[in-house]
Amino acid sequence: MMNLNRKPLVGVVSDTQTIDPHVFHTAGDKYLNALAQASGVVPVILPSLLPDVQVTDYLSRLDGIFLTGSYSMAEPSLYGESRIDLPYRYDTRRDALAKALIDAVIASDLPLFGVCRGFQDINVALGGSLHQAVQDVDGLNDHREDKSLSLPEQYAAAHQVDVVSGGLLERIVDRPSMNVNSLHSQGINRLGSGLSVEANAPDGLIEALSIDALSFGLAVQWHPEWKVMENQEQKLIFEAFGDACRARQSK
């Protein structure tokens, strides 16, 4: 029998990185804390061990999936392009895990929340493409952070986003616009199939999306996890994800 007194378990996609000399499967502390504190769930890091461990081996034990941001970029060949000549980090094991998770979540209608690279992972998995360097695209602004600044300065509000009327995000935050941070060099070019735009930056870049096939499937380009307990607008998003996971748990 399901123990409804337990907190929902949320699988968190992992990055693979070498911390010399070994490879580690990692997830950022700020994401895990935001899930535990604002969503009220128990985050569980999912290792990128395909094909030895398949997502079906653990998906039925989880109540939601969270796709983190990352310093790595989605492999451009996944959307039909070659890597551009910039010193980007790539993580093909994360690519494979994210794609498998997204496909499985859509098939099972499990709550899904993605942030930054997670937002881009969803778009790529559903047939969309990315601008590999937003700052070099005519008509788009530079959305990168100034890495010479302190972390609080990097994660400060950078611009407004306009929230699409009648969408999932508007129902959550209950306002037509909100101020967000901006720490990304890539962004959506072609929107994937079965996705709806939930918010746009002033330059027209898509900043939030939802997945039509899911009861709760939301992703944002900004970083709502940063000091989430001090930011009511962003806390509402994590709370909505937690509520969706609890609803799934009770089924």
Side-chain angles (χ1 to χ4, degrees):
M1 178 179 293
M2 177 70 70
N3 179 9
L4 297 182
N5 291 319
R6 73 164 175 84
K7 292 182 177 181
L9 291 179
V10 169
V12 179
V13 71
S14 64
D15 298 311
T16 54
Q17 60 176 311
T18 299
I19 304 175
D20 195 41
H22 297 289
V23 175
F24 287 77
H25 299 252
T26 64
D29 180 75
K30 60 194 175 91
Y31 302 110
L32 303 177
N33 275 319
L35 289 167
Q37 295 171 4
S39 296
V41 302
V42 177
V44 180
I45 300 174
L46 305 176
S48 303
L49 294 176
L50 296 172
D52 297 312
V53 177
Q54 298 290 332
V55 298
T56 52
D57 293 332
Y58 49 71
L59 204 68
S60 64
R61 310 176 201 183
L62 299 174
D63 304 302
I65 292 292
F66 183 81
L67 304 177
T68 67
S70 175
Y71 284 114
S72 67
M73 307 294 182
E75 172 57 52
S77 63
L78 296 173
Y79 50 91
E81 296 185 13
S82 299
R83 297 180 182 181
I84 62 174
D85 187 20
L86 284 176
Y88 287 153
R89 182 188 306 172
Y90 296 94
D91 184 350
T92 57
R93 293 173 71 176
R94 154 122 185 193
D95 291 334
L97 178 60
K99 178 65 163 66
L101 285 170
I102 293 161
D103 289 346
V105 160
I106 291 175
S108 60
D109 194 23
L110 203 65
L112 175 64
F113 183 21
V115 166
C116 199
R117 175 171 170 170
F119 165 88
Q120 297 168 8
D121 286 334
I122 292 168
N123 188 60
V124 171
L126 294 179
S129 67
L130 303 177
H131 294 297
Q132 293 190 55
V134 169
Q135 63 275 8
D136 294 334
V137 178
D138 288 344
L140 296 181
N141 298 329
D142 191 337
H143 287 252
R144 296 173 296 179
E145 74 277 26
D146 182 347
K147 292 184 179 180
S148 70
L149 300 177
S150 67
L151 282 178
E153 290 172 309
Q154 291 180 40
Y155 280 86
H159 63 75
Q160 179 177 288
V161 294
D162 295 320
V163 179
V164 174
S165 177
L168 174 60
L169 183 60
E170 187 198 41
R171 293 197 296 274
I172 292 170
V173 301
D174 191 27
R175 63 201 66 198
S177 64
M178 56 198 303
N179 292 320
V180 301
N181 51 36
S182 187
L183 300 94
H184 60 101
S185 58
Q186 301 201 335
I188 289 180
N189 182 3
R190 181 183 67 254
L191 187 67
S193 61
L195 299 175
S196 294
V197 176
E198 294 286 337
N200 293 285
D203 59 3
L205 192 67
I206 297 171
E207 288 274 337
L209 60 79
S210 58
I211 303 174
D212 300 340
L214 293 181
S215 300
F216 186 98
L218 181 67
V220 300
Q221 180 62 83
W222 65 89
H223 285 268
E225 79 285 351
W226 180 256
K227 296 189 182 298
V228 66
M229 300 306 286
E230 301 172 19
N231 190 322
Q232 183 59 27
E233 290 177 341
Q234 308 307 324
K235 185 168 176 279
L236 287 171
I237 302 174
F238 273 91
E239 288 175 345
F241 176 59
D243 289 344
C245 294
R246 281 179 283 276
R248 171 69 182 212
Q249 178 190 9
S250 66
K251 288 184 178 180

